[in-house]
Amino acid sequence: GVIIGVLLRSLAGLMQRLMDPSEFAVVQSAMFASFNSVDRTNLAIAAALFAVILPLAQAMAGRLDVMALGRRNALGLGLDHDRAVLGVLALVAALTACATALVGPISFLGLLAASLAHRLTGTHRHAVLIPAAAMLGAAILVIGQTVFERVLGQQSSLAVIIEFGGGLLFLTLVLKGVLK
């Protein structure tokens, strides 16, 4: 994900050099997350998909707990690990597509919300972590956007701050994994 992000940002820099500045401004507005211009049609579709996907994710919570034990242990406990992984990836892809269609790409928001949910709840049970992460992700966006609009007069982009914080968290998690 990081490599693809760097590649896309490099291509954006190339486009900036090649295009007329006014044309690039139109392209750039579509490349970054915007919470001010959510299409109501997309919002209705995303809400319907979310209403279907969240109960499916909650129903998978027990299988996710078993998957967290590792592939060998999950297979030993009778879980079709490969099928469960594909199901989880499909749900994650659908939720990511909904969020991206609504506001644009925001890297690391999911990682940030999941890590905060894990830290605040103090549990590994997915039945608790899934709703906690969903609520924390929504709270991050709502509170962050409110701060940018009301306190800062919208002088910066919330997506940039989330990506910065999430990137620092990602690097911290990678370094902790390497140092163990």
Side-chain angles (χ1 to χ4, degrees):
V2 173
I3 293 169
I4 291 172
V6 169
L7 173 69
L8 293 176
R9 287 194 196 340
S10 298
L11 289 174
L14 176 66
M15 286 178 20
Q16 183 179 12
R17 288 178 179 82
L18 295 176
M19 293 177 75
D20 180 48
S22 61
E23 292 174 356
F24 182 73
V26 173
V27 172
Q28 188 176 23
S29 68
M31 291 184 338
F32 295 106
S34 171
F35 300 99
N36 296 329
S37 61
V38 175
D39 183 15
R40 293 191 188 277
T41 306
N42 288 345
L43 183 60
I45 294 168
L49 283 172
F50 185 74
V52 170
I53 292 171
L54 189 59
L56 289 174
Q58 277 301 112
M60 292 182 80
R63 285 178 275 177
L64 290 170
D65 291 340
V66 173
M67 288 172 60
L69 298 173
R71 186 180 193 326
R72 179 181 288 169
N73 292 333
L75 289 172
L77 291 170
L79 180 70
D80 184 359
H81 187 269
D82 296 335
R83 185 175 176 187
V85 167
L86 288 176
V88 170
L89 288 175
L91 291 179
V92 169
L95 289 172
T96 303
C98 287
T100 304
L102 287 176
V103 297
I106 303 177
S107 302
F108 301 118
L109 176 62
L111 176 67
L112 193 60
S115 295
L116 284 173
H118 186 266
R119 176 70 93 192
L120 292 175
T121 61
T123 184
H124 294 283
R125 294 186 53 237
H126 287 86
V128 175
L129 288 174
I130 291 171
M135 288 187 279
L136 280 169
I140 289 169
L141 293 177
V142 170
I143 293 168
Q145 188 65 23
T146 302
V147 167
F148 275 104
E149 284 181 4
R150 306 290 185 232
V151 177
L152 302 176
Q154 207 170 15
Q155 296 175 359
S156 183
S157 171
L158 176 62
V160 172
I161 303 301
I162 290 173
E163 289 177 4
F164 177 73
L168 288 177
L169 175 64
F170 176 74
L171 290 175
T172 302
L173 292 174
V174 168
L175 290 176
K176 278 184 179 179
V178 169
L179 297 177
K180 285 186 178 181

